[in-house]
Amino acid sequence: MNQPTAPEVVRKPQGAAGTPPAAAAMPNPGRLFQTFNAYQQTAAMQAAIELDVFTAIGDRQTTAEQIAERAGAAERGIRILCDYLTVMGFLTKNESHYGLAPDAAMFLDRRSPAYMGSAARFLDAPEMLKAFDDLTAAVRKGGTVMGEEGTVGVENPIWVEFARSMAPMMMMPAEVISQLVEADKGGKCRVLDIAAGHGLFGINIARHNPQAEIVALDWASVLKVAQENAHKSGVESRYSTIAGSAFEVEFGEGYDLVLLTNFLHHFDPPTNEELLRRVRAALAPGGRAVTLEFVPNDDRVTPPEAATFSMIMLGSTPHGDAYTYVEFDRMFRHAGFTRSEHFRHPPLPESVIISYP
Amino acid sequence: MNQPTAPEVVRKPQGAAGTPPAAAAMPNPGRLFQTFNAYQQTAAMQAAIELDVFTAIGDRQTTAEQIAERAGAAERGIRILCDYLTVMGFLTKNESHYGLAPDAAMFLDRRSPAYMGSAARFLDAPEMLKAFDDLTAAVRKGGTVMGEEGTVGVENPIWVEFARSMAPMMMMPAEVISQLVEADKGGKCRVLDIAAGHGLFGINIARHNPQAEIVALDWASVLKVAQENAHKSGVESRYSTIAGSAFEVEFGEGYDLVLLTNFLHHFDPPTNEELLRRVRAALAPGGRAVTLEFVPNDDRVTPPEAATFSMIMLGSTPHGDAYTYVEFDRMFRHAGFTRSEHFRHPPLPESVIISYP
């Protein structure tokens, strides 16, 4: 083990802060300190979204005083929050004026059509945060220590929050899927959207293909959100629902597409294979299963967004994981599918897998 | 506002994951997603420290199976945790073997003399995390919403935890201060160590200068820790204490050095100035006040570690802040000091300010 050594002290005249040239070679606890405090990044983003700081700045309220007045907050609180968001790269600062960095202008100004601030209500919901209060216990156990099977318990109300707040983050992957299945070509297309949530994946296909008919499956409480969205998109006449657990209800048959979006990661491979066998049986000749998932490479540590997703599954589910493509391919083959294709679309963190019976 | 556009879809043969070349120009919600989940970084580091994962790996238990057995944890939990720490850069991974990245070998292997894992017990203490449960309310108010004046309340037991767990992180700055005040030169040196905590700053001077006499001031419960440390360092015969609040007790007089380490950031400038007037009165002719602080540049958004420190003060104190050097210099002048000097020692996040009456 190396011994820590104190930096060489270089005396500098009054007022100027000196940087000794030998500094780079020293051990640096900064990254560790940053990790101990990383939870504050989440809290700062939540506060900024709740106080609508980004919209205020986008609307040219650029000083701490102006933002504070609009947000009904203390100027000191806003100044410290905005300085922190500047260090994080979401804001810019020029003298006393804050500005929106590109990601903030796109995703955090409420007036942007790509606004994603609502995602905090699901991703940082109190019960999600609570699942990580004692991660040590979850690591010991190898799964969530939340009661009721974590977030995958029956009718967990968090999925209504998911359906309401995560829709904006799913617009881009929904568009990717519609392109991959060539929805614009039209033609007969019966779609089963399993764990539909907000319903955007099926709805987007219906928007691209006027002949597509969508069957959305989810808890009844969640389906209300999907139905609202189908109505808003004008596809409600081609939109029907099946309420209940994907592991219990009858799917029906003759589907050209079965969508499995952000679903398989919640369960272990045997559970998924059982489901996939039923998915295969529900497909029409020539039909396909379309899976949207966080898929790490075989090393399980790249790319970062997909690789770290397994941590969310450890904290919040009994047996979920971020599976590699090899693992997904194996599950589909075990369930009777003959082959799969894997598509990545950076910067989207999710992959699409299309599987053929 | 720009409209989000879906990435161009490029079909790739089975098994291979393709990367469309146009990806770089797209809006990227990845950084936002990472921030929504940043709290998991803190939880993962806490779990790894509590399960002593880094020490196990340093001791050549390098597979998830081996680490799990040693930690008494599930292999699945350890595998997901270690993959996550690899993405974060604290571990390396080669096939199924994990290794320690340099910062982890230095600071997180319990056998290292520079081990800092204990700092999690203070920095991530439940009441610190709780202070950020409703940061929105703290921003609105402009200060902590914890009761009892946050962490600066009378005899808050968190300072005993601080004294016990933060000592390792203070060894390097303590050595910097001893060098800056040229403790090795020896000679008469009466030192008042205000809010001594673990006591390391005064104790280190006493170790360098056999004639130095240290008076440590803190809550009585905290002073027990400082006295233990003085005993361990063999300087107890030159170590005495004053128990109580720095704002209430008599300092005595004739001090060559008064140490103000990680203390002034908890209070507002008028409170600090009142204290500094009393510090000045306690100095012997030729004496100096030595301040260790997180000092951001005048822009308040650089360097990152110093700039983000103000967020901790917003969450946990009524009026604390990370002050700029200009602000510190003004407080000392208002308190009757004639000049100050500012020293940075990267990669240490803290600055040292030496002030002369």
Side-chain angles (χ1 to χ4, degrees):
Chain A
M1 284 297 117
N2 295 318
Q3 288 272 357
T5 48
E8 186 187 357
V9 169
V10 179
R11 286 197 158 266
K12 287 279 171 178
Q14 171 190 353
T19 304
M26 289 179 47
N28 184 351
R31 178 83 183 98
L32 181 58
F33 193 71
Q34 190 182 65
T35 302
F36 286 146
N37 293 325
Y39 70 95
Q40 293 165 17
Q41 295 179 29
T42 301
M45 182 55 72
Q46 280 187 293
I49 289 170
E50 287 177 19
L51 294 167
D52 220 3
V53 163
F54 302 104
T55 308
I57 295 171
D59 204 19
R60 303 194 187 170
Q61 310 294 307
T62 58
T63 68
E65 185 182 359
Q66 291 168 333
I67 301 163
E69 180 165 342
R70 175 152 160 169
E75 182 178 340
R76 173 175 179 272
I78 291 289
R79 186 258 297 165
I80 290 175
L81 177 64
C82 288
D83 283 345
Y84 187 89
L85 294 166
T86 303
V87 177
M88 290 176 68
F90 289 105
L91 296 181
T92 59
K93 187 177 183 183
N94 188 349
E95 300 292 332
S96 61
H97 294 277
Y98 298 99
L100 298 180
D103 279 352
M106 177 67 83
F107 300 120
L108 294 167
D109 183 330
R110 203 177 287 272
R111 303 167 312 165
S112 165
Y115 179 73
M116 290 187 184
S118 61
R121 290 205 302 271
F122 171 72
L123 295 172
D124 297 331
E127 73 183 285
M128 287 297 284
L129 299 182
K130 194 164 161 22
F132 286 84
D133 272 356
D134 190 0
L135 183 61
T136 301
V139 174
R140 282 211 177 95
K141 182 179 175 185
T144 186
V145 291
M146 297 166 82
E148 305 289 334
E149 298 287 288
T151 53
V152 294
V154 174
E155 294 273 9
N156 189 318
I158 200 167
W159 299 113
V160 178
E161 186 61 67
F162 172 85
R164 293 215 179 274
S165 62
M166 291 297 281
M169 238 179 197
M170 295 303 143
M171 285 167 63
M172 274 164 59
E175 188 61 27
V176 165
I177 287 179
S178 290
Q179 288 186 31
L180 273 173
V181 302
E182 297 175 315
D184 282 330
K185 283 198 177 171
K188 170 203 171 261
C189 188
R190 279 195 80 210
V191 180
L192 175 63
D193 189 356
I194 292 182
H198 37 71
L200 289 202
F201 294 102
I203 290 167
N204 200 56
I205 290 174
R207 289 172 61 191
H208 280 276
N209 178 355
Q211 292 182 65
E213 295 187 4
I214 316 298
V215 179
L217 188 160
D218 213 316
W219 304 118
S221 53
V222 179
L223 284 173
K224 285 182 196 162
V225 183
Q227 284 168 316
E228 284 171 23
N229 288 333
H231 189 81
K232 279 184 212 160
S233 295
V235 301
E236 73 274 18
S237 64
R238 295 177 280 133
Y239 205 81
S240 60
T241 59
I242 301 174
S245 160
F247 296 99
E248 293 169 7
V249 297
E250 293 296 325
F251 292 161
E253 56 186 16
Y255 293 104
D256 301 289
L257 298 173
V258 176
L259 308 184
L260 294 153
T261 56
N262 296 315
F263 188 59
L264 301 178
H265 55 235
H266 294 99
F267 312 103
D268 61 17
T271 305
N272 285 333
E273 289 173 13
E274 183 192 325
L275 181 82
L276 295 179
R277 270 188 284 274
R278 296 176 53 231
V279 166
R280 185 177 171 282
L283 284 173
R288 294 166 285 177
V290 180
T291 303
L292 182 77
E293 274 296 343
F294 293 89
V295 181
N297 294 323
D298 291 341
D299 62 12
R300 288 189 180 282
V301 293
T302 57
E305 294 86 356
T308 53
F309 189 79
S310 60
M311 178 57 77
I312 302 182
M313 293 301 100
L314 176 65
S316 63
T317 71
H319 308 291
D321 212 335
Y323 295 106
T324 64
Y325 174 68
V326 169
E327 291 171 323
F328 276 119
D329 185 47
R330 187 185 305 133
M331 287 183 232
F332 277 98
R333 286 178 190 271
H334 285 182
F337 288 80
T338 58
R339 66 185 181 92
S340 296
E341 290 182 314
H342 181 201
F343 301 89
R344 285 203 195 279
H345 301 86
L348 281 192
E350 301 101 330
S351 290
V352 178
I353 296 172
I354 299 188
S355 304
Y356 300 83
Chain B
M1 285 295 121
N2 295 319
Q3 286 272 0
T5 47
E8 187 185 358
V9 168
V10 179
R11 285 197 159 264
K12 287 280 172 181
Q14 172 189 355
T19 303
M26 289 179 46
N28 184 352
R31 179 84 183 98
L32 181 58
F33 193 71
Q34 190 183 66
T35 303
F36 286 145
N37 293 325
Y39 71 96
Q40 294 167 15
Q41 296 180 27
T42 300
M45 181 56 72
Q46 279 188 296
I49 290 170
E50 287 177 19
L51 295 166
D52 221 4
V53 164
F54 302 104
T55 308
I57 295 171
D59 205 17
R60 301 193 189 172
Q61 311 295 308
T62 58
T63 67
E65 186 182 359
Q66 293 169 333
I67 301 163
E69 180 165 344
R70 174 150 160 170
E75 182 179 339
R76 173 175 178 271
I78 291 290
R79 186 258 299 167
I80 291 175
L81 178 64
C82 289
D83 283 344
Y84 187 90
L85 294 165
T86 303
V87 177
M88 289 176 69
F90 289 106
L91 296 181
T92 59
K93 187 177 184 184
N94 189 348
E95 300 293 333
S96 61
H97 295 277
Y98 298 99
L100 298 178
D103 281 352
M106 177 67 84
F107 301 120
L108 293 168
D109 183 331
R110 204 177 285 273
R111 303 165 313 166
S112 164
Y115 178 72
M116 289 185 185
S118 62
R121 291 205 301 271
F122 171 72
L123 294 173
D124 297 330
E127 71 184 285
M128 288 296 283
L129 299 182
K130 196 166 160 22
F132 286 84
D133 272 356
D134 191 359
L135 184 61
T136 302
V139 173
R140 282 211 177 95
K141 183 179 175 183
T144 186
V145 289
M146 298 166 81
E148 304 290 335
E149 297 284 289
T151 55
V152 297
V154 174
E155 293 274 12
N156 187 318
I158 200 166
W159 298 113
V160 178
E161 186 60 67
F162 172 86
R164 294 217 179 270
S165 62
M166 290 298 282
M169 234 176 198
M170 295 302 144
M171 286 167 60
M172 274 164 59
E175 188 62 27
V176 165
I177 286 178
S178 291
Q179 288 186 33
L180 273 173
V181 302
E182 296 174 316
D184 283 330
K185 284 198 174 170
K188 168 201 173 270
C189 187
R190 281 196 79 211
V191 180
L192 174 63
D193 189 357
I194 292 181
H198 38 70
L200 290 202
F201 294 102
I203 289 167
N204 200 55
I205 291 173
R207 290 173 61 190
H208 281 277
N209 178 356
Q211 292 182 66
E213 296 187 0
I214 316 297
V215 179
L217 187 160
D218 213 316
W219 303 118
S221 53
V222 180
L223 285 173
K224 285 180 193 163
V225 184
Q227 283 167 318
E228 285 171 24
N229 288 333
H231 189 81
K232 281 184 210 160
S233 296
V235 303
E236 72 275 19
S237 65
R238 296 177 280 131
Y239 205 81
S240 61
T241 59
I242 302 173
S245 160
F247 296 98
E248 291 170 7
V249 298
E250 292 295 325
F251 292 160
E253 58 186 15
Y255 293 104
D256 301 290
L257 297 174
V258 176
L259 307 184
L260 294 152
T261 57
N262 295 317
F263 188 60
L264 301 177
H265 54 235
H266 294 100
F267 311 103
D268 60 17
T271 304
N272 284 333
E273 289 173 13
E274 182 192 325
L275 180 84
L276 295 178
R277 271 188 283 275
R278 295 174 54 231
V279 166
R280 184 177 173 282
L283 284 172
R288 293 167 287 179
V290 179
T291 303
L292 181 78
E293 275 295 345
F294 292 89
V295 181
N297 294 323
D298 292 341
D299 62 13
R300 289 191 181 279
V301 292
T302 58
E305 295 86 355
T308 53
F309 189 80
S310 60
M311 179 56 75
I312 303 181
M313 293 300 100
L314 176 64
S316 64
T317 71
H319 307 292
D321 212 336
Y323 295 106
T324 65
Y325 175 69
V326 168
E327 290 171 323
F328 276 120
D329 185 49
R330 187 185 305 133
M331 287 183 232
F332 277 99
R333 287 178 191 271
H334 285 182
F337 288 79
T338 59
R339 67 186 180 91
S340 296
E341 288 180 319
H342 181 203
F343 302 89
R344 285 203 195 275
H345 300 85
L348 282 191
E350 301 101 330
S351 290
V352 178
I353 295 170
I354 300 188
S355 304
Y356 300 84

